């Protein structure tokens, strides 16, 4: 339950950032943002936010119960919310691991219960399998051209990139293993990896060897299950039940610790290094 609230807090915080002076990369012009976020009002209190599209539509889901202390995949029943209300889609009523919109297209990507990565057309329901053995989270580039994700079994997770509209998936830095939670950051990919037994964040760039990001001691790393949200100058991600904001300069901007039930706010935001809070513009 704590992780579920962290997942929703991640997206709701990212939406608040989109109204500040550090907009989300795919954010719309300020004049349309308030209207575009209206579908989130249709989200039930026990549903988590999986993704929000450029026009404000949302993919939300209700988590299915898992056995305590088990390694069961966490799955959910996902709904597609639009300005005109919930819309039926290809995975209506089915349990999935993750679902995200494809920017610039009427399509979504889904990781199914059997770990297939599938592109689904939101207008006609047509499905096309992209890969198998996929582990959440996935990260879609801002143009909707490609998706990155981890594939394999622990301890042999490796990062792969696939072109969404076709083409064989290919490994990025196959020598970097295990690697998980990859994120598209502009022209690079950032991933958690532990090739030497000590987890860290590594930059993957075309034509270059993986480069470990020299962060300060004790910086929390992404743990999922949601993909990292990339703003113009920072990363927002889950880390063991909290939401962390890490600047692209390597400085921790803040953390939002998710409180347990029992009164008060469901989360709190702690600033670091004099970072200023999000400034509302509406």
């Amino acid at each position: 339950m704590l992780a579920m609230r962290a997942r929703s807090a991640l997206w709701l915080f990212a939406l608040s950032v989109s109204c500040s002076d550090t907009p989300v990369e795919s954010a719309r012009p300020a004049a349309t943002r308030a209207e575009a976020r209206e579908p989130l009002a249709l989200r039930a209190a026990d549903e988590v936010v999986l993704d929000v599209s450029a026009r404000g539509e949302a993919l939300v889901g209700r988590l299915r119960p898992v056995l305590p202390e088990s390694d069961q995949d966490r799955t959910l029943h996902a709904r597609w919310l639009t300005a005109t209300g919930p819309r039926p889609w290809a995975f209506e009523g089915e349990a999935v691991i993750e679902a995200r919109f494809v920017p610039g297209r009427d399509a979504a990507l889904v990781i199914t219960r059997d770990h297939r990565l599938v592109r689904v057309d939101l207008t006609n329901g047509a499905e096309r399998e992209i890969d198998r053995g996929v582990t959440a989270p996935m990260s879609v580039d801002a143009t909707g051209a490609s998706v990155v994700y981890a594939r394999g079994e622990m301890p042999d997770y490796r990062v792969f990139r696939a072109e969404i509209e076709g083409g064989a998936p290919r490994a990025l830095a196959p020598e970097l293993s295990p690697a998980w939670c990859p994120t598209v950051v502009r022209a690079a990919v950032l991933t958690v990896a532990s090739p030497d037994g000590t987890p860290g964040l590594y930059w993957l760039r075309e034509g270059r060897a993986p480069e470990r990001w020299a962060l300060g001691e004790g910086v929390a790393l992404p743990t999922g299950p949601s993909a990292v949200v990339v703003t113009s100058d920072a990363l927002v991600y889950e880390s063991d039940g909290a939401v962390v904001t890490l600047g692209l300069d390597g400085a921790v901007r803040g953390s939002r610790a998710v409180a347990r039930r029992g009164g008060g706010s469901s989360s709190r935001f702690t600033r670091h290094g004099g970072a200023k809070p999000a400034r509302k513009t509406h």
Side-chain angles (χ1 to χ4, degrees):
M1 183 63 66
L2 185 64
M4 180 182 79
R5 291 198 292 276
R7 192 167 186 169
S8 285
L10 173 66
W11 261 110
L12 295 177
F13 174 68
L15 285 173
S16 73
V17 170
S18 74
C19 295
S20 74
D21 47 5
T22 54
V24 172
E25 286 186 348
S26 59
R28 296 154 305 285
T32 66
R33 287 179 198 148
E35 178 182 355
R37 278 196 299 274
E38 288 178 0
L40 278 177
L42 304 173
R43 178 176 67 97
D46 62 346
E47 288 181 317
V48 300
V49 182
L50 300 175
D51 200 6
V52 179
S53 75
R55 56 178 175 242
E57 296 179 355
L59 287 168
V60 301
R62 180 174 288 109
L63 289 168
R64 302 172 73 244
V66 298
L67 294 174
E69 307 301 325
S70 76
D71 59 357
Q72 278 184 290
D73 288 320
R74 183 162 50 182
T75 59
L76 40 80
H77 288 121
R79 293 196 302 149
W80 172 26
L81 305 180
T82 72
T84 58
R87 293 274 299 276
W89 69 306
F91 285 87
E92 191 80 19
E94 293 187 35
V96 302
I97 294 175
E98 188 178 6
R100 293 182 65 84
F101 290 112
V102 179
R105 295 165 176 79
D106 289 322
L109 295 176
V110 174
I111 299 178
T112 67
R113 290 182 64 184
D114 56 355
H115 293 268
R116 295 183 304 119
L117 176 59
V118 175
R119 180 198 186 278
V120 56
D121 192 303
L122 292 175
T123 58
N124 60 26
E127 299 176 26
R128 183 176 61 79
E129 182 178 285
I130 294 175
D131 204 352
R132 296 188 176 191
V134 173
T135 298
M138 57 181 158
S139 178
V140 185
D141 78 10
T143 68
S146 65
V147 56
V148 297
Y149 50 87
R151 191 177 83 180
E153 298 287 342
M154 197 60 155
D156 296 319
Y157 288 136
R158 287 175 170 80
V159 176
F160 280 75
R161 185 198 299 273
E163 300 302 317
I164 294 174
E165 301 305 327
R170 64 184 181 91
L172 302 179
E175 72 277 15
L176 190 67
S177 175
W180 63 96
C181 288
T183 305
V184 179
V185 184
R186 300 172 184 167
V189 172
L190 184 66
T191 188
V192 185
S194 183
D196 59 2
T198 304
L201 284 169
Y202 287 77
W203 290 101
L204 308 181
R205 297 180 174 91
E206 289 288 344
R208 295 170 60 176
E211 179 182 354
R212 186 173 179 122
W213 195 2
L215 297 172
E217 184 177 354
V219 173
L221 303 178
T223 59
S226 297
V228 175
V229 177
V230 182
T231 75
S232 61
D233 65 351
L235 309 172
V236 185
Y237 57 84
E238 293 175 64
S239 183
D240 294 326
V243 177
V244 176
T245 304
L246 177 65
L248 291 178
D249 59 0
V252 177
R253 306 281 181 81
S255 62
R256 186 187 294 267
V258 179
R260 298 184 183 275
R261 291 185 183 275
S265 174
S266 63
S267 63
R268 62 182 184 274
F269 185 72
T270 304
R271 288 187 285 150
H272 293 259
K276 59 184 178 181
R279 174 171 52 82
K280 299 294 184 183
T281 59
H282 67 290

